[in-house]
Amino acid sequence: MKQLEVRIVIIHRSDKRIDIGMYDPVSNRYEPLGTHKQVDIDDVIYKLKCSIERAGHMITWCERSE
């Protein structure tokens, strides 16, 4: 199986919530995964990272503020 790059996108909103999504640089497609509270974000990202790595894909990160 070919190893794909999955970019995790973390967007810090002004209302203190965080949007999480995945971006595929090959197809230029963005898939929103949900909005989370600041206190939950470490667990959400860790589980997402583990899931992607188990599938054998490479992870990159992109983080920005709105």
Side-chain angles (χ1 to χ4, degrees):
M1 179 171 71
K2 182 180 174 185
Q3 184 182 34
L4 302 174
E5 175 189 355
V6 178
R7 187 169 301 155
I8 304 300
V9 180
I10 303 166
I11 303 169
H12 298 271
R13 296 180 359 183
S14 59
D15 64 358
K16 304 295 183 197
R17 298 190 50 89
I18 299 173
D19 292 333
I20 302 290
M22 291 192 313
Y23 174 72
D24 177 7
V26 174
S27 68
N28 203 28
R29 193 179 103 201
Y30 175 77
E31 184 70 32
L33 298 176
T35 301
H36 303 277
K37 297 177 185 176
Q38 178 67 41
V39 296
D40 300 332
I41 202 66
D42 288 340
D43 190 45
V44 169
I45 291 174
Y46 177 75
K47 288 178 181 178
L48 182 58
K49 176 186 171 291
C50 290
S51 175
I52 292 168
E53 287 177 336
R54 261 193 312 267
H57 302 302
M58 179 177 65
I59 299 173
T60 58
W61 305 89
C62 175
E63 189 168 7
R64 69 180 176 99
S65 296
E66 197 174 69

